[in-house]
Amino acid sequence: MLTRWLRRITPGTFKHRILFSFLLFLLTPIAILVLYNFRETEVMLQRDASDINVKQLEGIKADLIDLMSLVMKTGMLLDQDSVLREVMQKPELYDAIHRKRIVENKFASIENSFFLTGATVFYTLIDLKGNAYTSYTPENSLNYAHISSEPWVQELKRTEGQRYVWKSNDLTTGVRERKGNRMLSLYEVLRDDGLKPFAYGRFSIDYEAWFQEKTEGNTFGSDSEGAYFLMDGYGNIMLQSKSGDNVPYTVSSAIPAASQSQGQDTSSQSIVNNHMMYTYSKIQELDGYLVKKIPLSLLFEEVNKQKLRFYTVYGAILLLFVLLTYFISSTVTGPLKHLQRKMETTVKLNLKTKLPEQGKGELLALTRSFNFMIADINNLLEQLKLEERQKQFVRFQVLLGQMNPHFLLNTLNTIKSIALDKDEDEIYEICVSLGKILETTLNLEVDLILLKEEIVLIESYMDIQRKRFGHGIKLHYEVSRDLEYALIPKFCLQPLVENSLIHGFGQTQLEGQIDIRASSHHSLLILEVADNGIGMKKSQANQSYRKRKSIGVQNLRESLELMFKNQPTGLRIESTDEGTQVIMHFPLLLSKPYLKEGSTIVAHIDR
């Protein structure tokens, strides 16, 4: 049945069969490949545009967060200003004009801080004795009874001790100079040294005008090429760069759901809907999202032009090819068929053999060209393999070189401080410990060291840290003697111990314990570093404004993958409020045989 069906679709003459074969097996795959490349180009353009949009949104978000931080700092300055406290607590000591001049001078002194941000901030202060002050010219005369009954004052009185309350989409109607209708306001209770309130303040950012100014600088120059939105945590639009534009409900409802499912590590992403790309970035401080909308037709305009050119050229080449095939097939079909069989044999042998250079004229030239091509391909393959190995080696060395050089600089500064302030032997001990670490670091020819040598490096590192900070962090080891000679990547445990010190104990306590364990399972070596610190969630909350994140764990994971390529490796982190545990595994390599089969001798060391 299949044979009969093939005979029906196969041309009857050999000439037509050659044409049919070229059309089916050469030109059609080329067309499919080109179309596939066009599709991949569109995907790449979409991905690049998404990355650019994410960078733009992250820049706007960073400016907004910096602006909010600056407002909080200025509020703290007012809270701590002794002159302002006295004016608010004892207004009877000053006449009304003098009090107003003092407060307005305070406002003027801090307004210069917002010059470079491009934002306008309006200040409103009321004391507890019937006086109100503003940094702006109000539309109506100040009325203490009216202002004290406004919702923001009542909300501060209901906060039960909470000093700061951020209010987005705050409608401020009393500001004459405002450009936008909505404000981002900080409500703050000003307290004295005894934590007793002496005034209430509202610091309002005209973020609608600020948003328009920031988004105008990030468009491509055309009204149809991009729109920006600020949405709340439920997908409702609070601000938009273009009036009349909107975000479909399917997208606005999908953004919060996608952000929650992806977690904090991927707070920026793109969604494609109805020929539009929506890129969003979550703003944790406002529990909202920045969204940029851009039509896909703008991204694919050049690709569509290339498609049209390709179809035109491809059709012309196809027609010319058919005519030439009919013209020359009668004279070359026999030799070409023989040459075709030889080529198929060469391909099946993975391009390892050459065709015999027989015949004459074009066929001989074609055979020689094919042999040259095979030789060039083999040379290129070997060159690519060599370059890949070199890239992996360079990447591994770069990863090692990124292992927190700031620690060495801080240690040297410690040595200088001790040398200037004290005449003790601690300098010698620090130099010895640091020398051990430097000796191992600078030895680039060795990638694997013994586990017991890594423990010596950790002890040297801890000796320096104890002398720097004087903490009482203890190290506890559970390492069997038969694993002391296991080969491990250099500096694979030290960054984990450093993370435990910085993130686990650095912000909360001076006492604690770090456990280092080593065990084997089948042909794998399992290393664990655990601490009883505050855990990752509290550490991240304490370091929310830290600009440079640690790269030690990510470098360690990539180093394991590069060093033990195509072999089982892994690194995972488990964290609770009672501490953090990091577990890694990789192939077990021993530098000498076991001292005793089945040995379970364990060395417990407390430092």
Side-chain angles (χ1 to χ4, degrees), residues 80-94:
Q80 299 171 1
D81 192 285
S82 58
V83 177
L84 183 67
R85 285 187 183 181
E86 186 174 2
V87 171
M88 293 293 177
Q89 292 176 331
K90 301 177 181 179
E92 65 276 4
L93 299 180
Y94 307 86

Side-chain angles (χ1 to χ4, degrees), residues 37-51 299-300 303:
N37 288 335
F38 280 133
R39 175 56 184 168
E40 289 298 308
T41 302
E42 292 176 350
V43 172
M44 181 185 65
L45 291 175
Q46 181 175 326
R47 182 170 60 249
D48 292 344
S50 176
D51 293 339
L299 303 178
F300 302 151
V303 176

Side-chain angles (χ1 to χ4, degrees), residues 265 395-396 399-400 403 489-493 495-496 499 536 550-565 567-574 581-586:
D265 293 337
R395 174 61 177 164
F396 180 72
L399 291 176
L400 283 179
M403 289 293 185
K490 181 170 55 178
F491 286 110
C492 69
L493 293 178
L496 304 181
N499 283 346
M536 294 179 62
S550 174
I551 60 174
V553 174
Q554 181 62 26
N555 282 352
L556 181 56
R557 183 180 285 110
E558 295 181 10
S559 298
L560 293 176
E561 294 176 356
L562 290 175
M563 185 172 296
F564 303 99
K565 191 173 183 180
Q567 299 186 59
T569 61
L571 188 149
R572 72 178 190 273
I573 302 176
E574 300 175 356
Q581 182 180 24
V582 181
I583 304 173
M584 76 177 89
H585 68 270
F586 46 86

